[in-house]
């Protein structure tokens, strides 16, 4: 199929475009409804502006015919009886005309101000409401959505796309009505003045509407491609800046510059294509307007020469024709803006209509007091069809028990952990909390019972106090006091280094906490989890990237955090799991061994070999003169003996 054949037909595209527009109007009407009083006043302003625009050229006719040419004039303005002007002396007519011009200009400016300010206020209120819903919805969407989406593109939809959407939802509505009132009023007055000239002026209008409609189809498509390119560009820039340390460490600046430049060039080409279409439409409109104006001037001048039309009347008529064509040009410009807004609206609706994979089920219940028993019954899970990651997991964790999940990378440990707070939906089998399947528990209630500590510590660009207090946001009751925050920090072994900072707890951290060491960031996260006071604790490789000294501090803090809580820990660093009540070894998504550290070593199976391999590596890189190192060496020797290693 050729590109021409695959391109949508104009008729079908127009119908599709109309349906899309109606869908947006229906979807966003509830945001516009509270702004109807302001929009009503804006429309009154538009009506007043249209009336002043209709009156605007008449003082010029008085000046031209009555004052300069000394003709007796008969003014035909619908609804106004101004025949008395024919008997006034020229000096009074001059003064009156000038005063009228000033009054009309002042009133026109006031009505314009009223219309545009109220439309802007209403538009920004609509933008704020839509942006709030979009942000709220983004937070509800499942992790699977966020994993396949790009953060930069989502930021574009949340900011720039919504702002452009205002053009379609509010500004276009008010401006379109304002221009329509002006056009209708002018056509009525023009017909009253000179019907034949009016028909000449209107002859090209149907052609303009057809051309505008056809161009709008192409403009919407071009604008959609341009916004998609801009979103990809923003995502790329966000990704590069987030990983700037990696870029600089690998001296990849030139490579990233080249990659960014290529994407920038593609974005520019998409934007230029849209700009060319806008310019082509504007060119057609200008030529059509010039043709219409030429016809009016040609015929009108002949009427003046014949004596059937005064020069002042022709001047007023030409002013009306110019005023009539000006809204048509504005409508063509509005077509360009609404085309972009329609593309942006599509992108916003695409996210708003995304249904979360994980959400509250009908009849989901709240929880009372929670003991913390976690049960996995024949749990299967996969990210892709026909590629199961977890296979038939059966595991029962008693309240206040510490269970460690151990295994090679890709064994499914973190995924199993993520099923407890329902970050993912379990397609087969059951995950239970205190005997209740987690899908039957309200998400908010379920996650309120869980503290989560991951290998990628999230630090907010806020003060240390706010970072720690963030853990208490989801709990009921008043916000945590300074004493509670400090107690949590002391228990997490973070209080001492916080006091060494310039403003201790009021020190504002950089984005992602880059001014702190890995161990310091992790201890702040532990303090946050302590403040949450949840009965279930999930730890996903909390020791990743820490040096031995930081490991000891974090281990002490984790022991304080895990005390009295049901703890499920994923670990590659086996010193984290030595004292676990139960160790579960996973391989290829299945539990192959379970038991205490000593029992598993005695079996000499997969765990023992895994343990020995890690501690042999440890022994080559760490001195063995400490008591802890000697204990580890003895553990390695036992593992070697039970595993049958030389």
């Amino acid at each position: 199929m050729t590109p021409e054949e695959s391109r949508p037909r104009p008729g079908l595209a127009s119908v599709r475009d109309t349906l899309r527009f109606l869908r947006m109007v229906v979807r966003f009407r509830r945001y516009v409804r509270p702004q109807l009083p302001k929009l009503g006043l804006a429309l009154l302003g538009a009506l007043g502006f249209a009336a002043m625009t209709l009156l605007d050229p008449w003082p010029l006719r008085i000046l031209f015919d009555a004052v300069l040419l000394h003709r007796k004039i008969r003014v035909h303005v619908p609804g106004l009886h101004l025949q008395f002007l024919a008997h006034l002396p020229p000096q009074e007519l001059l003064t009156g005309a000038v005063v009228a011009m000033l009054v009309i200009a002042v009133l026109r400016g006031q009505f314009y101000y009223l219309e545009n300010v109220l439309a802007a206020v209403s538009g920004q209120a609509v933008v704020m409401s839509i942006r709030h819903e979009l942000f709220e919805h983004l937070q509800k969407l499942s992790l699977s959505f966020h994993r396949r989406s790009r953060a930069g593109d989502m930021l574009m939809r949340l900011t720039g796309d919504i702002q452009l959407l205002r053009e379609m939802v509010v500004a276009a509505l008010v401006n379109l009505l304002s221009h329509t009132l002006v056009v209708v009023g002018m056509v009525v007055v023009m017909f009253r003045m000179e019907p034949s000239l009016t028909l000449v002026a209107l002859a090209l209008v149907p052609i303009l509407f057809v051309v505008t409609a056809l161009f709008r189809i192409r403009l919407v498509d071009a604008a959609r491609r341009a916004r998609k390119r801009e979103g990809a560009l923003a995502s790329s820039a966000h990704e590069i800046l987030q990983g700037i340390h990696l870029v600089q460490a690998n001296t990849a600046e030139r490579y990233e510059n080249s990659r960014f430049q290529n994407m920038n060039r593609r974005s520019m080409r998409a934007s230029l294509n849209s700009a060319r279409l806008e310019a082509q439409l504007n060119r057609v409109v200008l030529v059509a307007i010039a043709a219409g104006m030429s016809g009016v001037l040609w015929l009108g001048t002949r009427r003046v020469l014949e004596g059937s039309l005064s020069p002042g009347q022709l001047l007023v008529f030409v002013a009306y024709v110019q005023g009539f064509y000006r809204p048509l040009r504005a409508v063509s410009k509005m077509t360009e803006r609404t085309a972009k807004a329609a593309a942006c609206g599509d992108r916003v609706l695409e996210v708003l209509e995304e249904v979360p994979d994980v959400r509250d089920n009908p009849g989901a219940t709240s929880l009372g007091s929670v003991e913390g028993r976690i049960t996995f019954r024949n749990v299967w899970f996969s990210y892709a069809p026909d590629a199961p990651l977890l296979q038939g997991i059966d595991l029962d964790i008693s309240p206040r028990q510490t269970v460690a999940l151990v295994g090679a990378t890709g064994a499914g440990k973190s995924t199993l952990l993520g099923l407890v707070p329902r970050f993912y939906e379990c397609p087969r089998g059951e995950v239970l909390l205190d005997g209740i399947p987690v899908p039957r528990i309200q998400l908010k209630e379920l996650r309120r019972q869980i503290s989560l500590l991951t290998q990628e510590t999230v630090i907010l660009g806020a003060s240390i106090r706010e970072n720690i207090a963030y853990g208490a946001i989801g709990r009921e009751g008043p916000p945590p006091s300074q004493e509670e925050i400090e107690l949590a920090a002391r228990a997490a072994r973070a209080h001492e280094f916080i006091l060494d900072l310039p403003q201790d707890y009021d020190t504002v951290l950089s984005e992602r906490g880059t001014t702190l060491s890995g161990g310091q960031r992790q201890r702040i996260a532990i303090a946050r989890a302590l403040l949450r006071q949840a009965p279930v604790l999930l730890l996903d490789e909390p020791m990743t990237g820490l040096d031995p000294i930081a490991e000891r501090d974090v281990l002490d803090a984790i022991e304080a955090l895990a005390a009295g809580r049901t703890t499920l820990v994923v670990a590659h660093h086996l010193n984290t799991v030595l004292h676990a009540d139960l160790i579960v070894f996973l391989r290829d998504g299945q539990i192959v061994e379970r038991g205490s550290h000593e029992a598993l070593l005695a079996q000499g199976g997969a765990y023992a070999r895994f343990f020995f391999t890690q501690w042999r590596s440890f022994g080559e890189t760490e001195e063995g003169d400490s008591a802890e190192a000697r204990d580890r060496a003895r553990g390695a020797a036992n593992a070697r003996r039970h595993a049958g290693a030389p």
Side-chain angles (χ1 to χ4, degrees):
M1 182 180 289
T2 65
E4 288 75 14
E5 291 173 332
S6 63
R7 187 176 298 160
R9 295 177 181 176
L12 294 176
S14 181
V15 171
R16 184 188 60 190
D17 207 35
T18 302
L19 291 175
R20 185 185 294 115
F21 177 79
L22 292 175
R23 182 168 62 100
M24 290 181 195
V25 170
V26 171
R27 183 65 177 80
F28 296 128
R29 71 182 186 279
R30 64 190 179 96
Y31 301 113
V32 179
R33 194 177 296 120
Q35 306 305 318
L36 287 179
K38 292 188 185 72
L39 288 174
L41 290 174
L43 294 178
L44 283 177
L47 186 62
F49 178 79
M52 293 303 104
T53 302
L54 291 176
L55 291 175
D56 192 46
W58 287 97
L60 287 175
R61 190 207 165 175
I62 295 170
L63 286 173
F64 205 82
D65 280 351
V67 178
L68 297 177
L69 300 178
H70 304 289
R71 291 188 175 202
K72 289 186 178 182
I73 61 172
R74 293 183 178 181
V75 181
H76 300 283
V77 179
L80 296 178
H81 301 283
L82 304 176
Q83 305 306 321
F84 69 92
L85 294 175
H87 306 291
L88 292 176
Q91 190 63 38
E92 291 184 17
L93 284 173
L94 173 62
T95 304
V98 170
V99 171
M101 288 176 69
L102 289 173
V103 171
I104 290 171
V106 169
L107 291 176
R108 191 179 180 192
Q110 287 297 109
F111 285 126
Y112 181 82
Y113 177 84
L114 180 69
E115 173 194 348
N116 281 271
V117 168
L118 289 176
V121 169
S122 303
Q124 291 299 335
V126 169
V127 164
M128 186 178 70
S129 300
I130 297 175
R131 183 177 288 140
H132 179 264
E133 184 191 352
L134 181 60
F135 183 72
E136 189 176 35
H137 188 67
L138 279 169
Q139 293 183 91
K140 291 178 181 176
L141 289 176
S142 312
L143 286 184
S144 56
F145 170 83
H146 290 286
R147 289 185 190 281
R148 68 175 182 265
S149 303
R150 304 190 71 178
D153 186 50
M154 290 299 109
L155 288 174
M156 281 286 293
R157 299 182 196 222
L158 195 60
T159 53
D161 286 352
I162 288 181
Q163 191 65 34
L164 280 174
L165 184 60
R166 180 179 70 91
E167 294 283 350
M168 186 182 67
V169 177
V170 175
L173 176 66
V174 175
N175 292 336
L176 185 62
L177 185 58
S178 172
H179 293 314
T180 302
L181 289 172
V182 170
V183 168
V184 171
M186 285 184 171
V187 169
V188 170
V189 175
M190 287 160 65
F191 262 111
R192 291 288 296 269
M193 289 178 64
E194 189 61 43
S196 58
L197 284 179
T198 304
L199 290 175
V200 172
L202 296 178
L204 294 173
V205 170
I207 298 174
L208 281 177
F209 275 117
V210 171
V211 169
T212 300
L214 292 175
F215 265 95
R216 190 179 188 282
I217 296 168
R218 297 173 63 190
L219 278 167
V220 169
D221 188 48
R224 191 177 294 115
R225 287 197 301 270
R227 295 304 291 180
K228 186 177 180 180
R229 293 292 189 190
E230 289 169 13
L233 185 67
S235 294
S236 177
H238 179 267
E239 183 180 71
I240 292 168
L241 293 176
Q242 285 282 77
I244 191 64
H245 61 288
L246 178 66
V247 174
Q248 293 179 351
N250 289 278
T251 60
E253 291 90 347
R254 180 176 295 180
Y255 167 77
E256 292 298 350
N257 282 340
S258 175
R259 192 163 70 96
F260 184 81
Q261 183 63 16
N262 288 334
M263 297 188 71
N264 200 16
R265 195 175 291 111
R266 287 194 291 268
S267 176
M268 181 191 70
R269 282 198 293 265
S271 298
L272 284 177
N273 185 38
S274 181
R276 285 192 192 98
L277 287 171
E278 293 172 14
Q280 288 171 10
L281 174 60
N282 199 35
R283 180 176 61 190
V284 172
V285 171
L286 285 174
V287 171
I289 289 173
M293 182 63 73
S294 299
V296 169
L297 286 172
W298 184 81
L299 185 58
T301 303
R302 286 180 62 110
R303 293 290 174 83
V304 172
L305 294 175
E306 292 169 358
S308 61
L309 197 66
S310 73
Q313 285 177 306
L314 178 60
L315 185 67
V316 170
F317 197 90
V318 168
Y320 272 155
V321 171
Q322 288 179 327
F324 167 75
Y325 282 137
R326 194 176 297 119
L328 290 182
R329 285 189 63 189
V331 168
S332 74
K333 287 284 186 185
M334 201 179 303
T335 297
E336 301 158 13
R337 295 201 302 271
T338 54
K340 292 178 181 177
C344 294
D346 260 355
R347 284 163 52 81
V348 172
L349 280 178
E350 186 182 351
V351 178
L352 286 175
E353 292 177 352
E354 182 79 26
V355 178
D357 298 332
V358 178
R359 57 189 184 275
D360 280 336
N361 292 317
T365 62
S366 59
L367 292 171
S369 59
V370 173
E371 290 187 353
R373 177 178 291 276
I374 300 172
T375 307
F376 298 90
R377 289 182 184 166
N378 192 31
V379 169
W380 291 69
F381 182 85
S382 64
Y383 291 107
D386 303 322
L389 182 62
L390 297 175
Q391 305 177 55
I393 299 294
D394 286 298
L395 180 63
D396 187 61
I397 304 170
S398 302
R400 292 172 292 281
Q401 186 180 28
T402 297
V403 174
L405 302 177
V406 180
T409 300
K413 307 181 297 297
S414 296
T415 300
L416 187 63
L417 203 72
L419 293 177
V420 179
R422 277 189 76 200
F423 289 149
Y424 310 100
E425 202 70 272
C426 183
R428 179 177 167 189
E430 282 188 316
V431 181
L432 302 94
L433 178 63
D434 284 358
I436 305 172
V438 292
R440 297 185 190 173
I441 305 171
Q442 294 174 3
L443 269 177
K444 192 174 182 179
E445 283 289 312
L446 171 66
R447 292 172 182 174
R448 190 178 287 165
Q449 312 303 324
I450 298 169
S451 289
L452 176 64
L453 198 65
T454 67
Q455 56 182 310
E456 297 176 3
T457 306
V458 178
I459 297 294
L460 309 174
S463 69
I464 289 182
R465 176 184 288 106
E466 291 170 306
N467 267 280
I468 295 175
Y470 196 85
I473 285 179
R475 76 182 195 188
E476 297 177 352
S481 64
Q482 179 62 24
E483 283 187 28
E484 290 179 282
I485 291 171
E486 286 193 17
L487 281 173
R490 287 179 188 276
R493 310 296 192 270
H495 181 70
E496 289 73 16
F497 85 78
I498 292 174
L499 292 182
D500 291 335
L501 296 174
Q503 294 175 289
D504 51 73
Y505 284 87
D506 291 318
T507 301
V508 176
L509 301 176
S510 63
E511 186 180 3
R512 295 180 291 130
T514 53
T515 52
L516 300 177
S517 69
Q520 289 172 333
R521 289 196 296 269
Q522 197 68 291
R523 279 178 279 168
I524 288 177
I526 290 170
R528 182 193 299 156
L530 278 164
L531 203 60
R532 190 166 178 78
Q533 299 176 357
V536 175
L537 175 63
L538 305 179
L539 304 174
D540 190 357
E541 299 186 23
M543 313 299 290
T544 300
L546 301 182
D547 60 72
I549 296 175
E551 274 191 22
R552 293 189 188 96
D553 291 334
V554 172
L555 271 174
D556 291 342
I558 287 176
E559 286 180 12
L561 177 62
R565 292 179 171 85
T566 304
T567 304
L568 189 57
V569 55
V570 171
H572 281 136
H573 292 265
L574 295 184
N575 54 340
T576 313
V577 306
L578 293 177
H579 304 294
D581 300 311
L582 177 68
I583 296 174
V584 176
F585 192 85
L586 284 87
R587 184 169 57 205
D588 298 329
Q590 297 177 310
I591 297 176
V592 295
E593 289 182 354
R594 68 180 79 196
S596 66
H597 172 67
E598 291 77 10
L600 290 176
L601 285 182
Q603 289 179 18
Y607 173 79
R609 288 190 293 273
F610 189 79
F611 177 84
F612 167 68
T613 301
Q614 185 169 123
W615 287 128
R616 182 174 60 182
S617 173
F618 172 84
E620 293 172 355
T621 56
E622 184 171 305
E623 294 181 3
D625 56 352
S626 67
E628 183 180 9
R630 287 194 296 272
D631 289 342
R632 291 172 176 172
R634 281 195 295 271
N638 290 334
R640 186 163 51 245
R641 184 176 64 254
H642 290 300

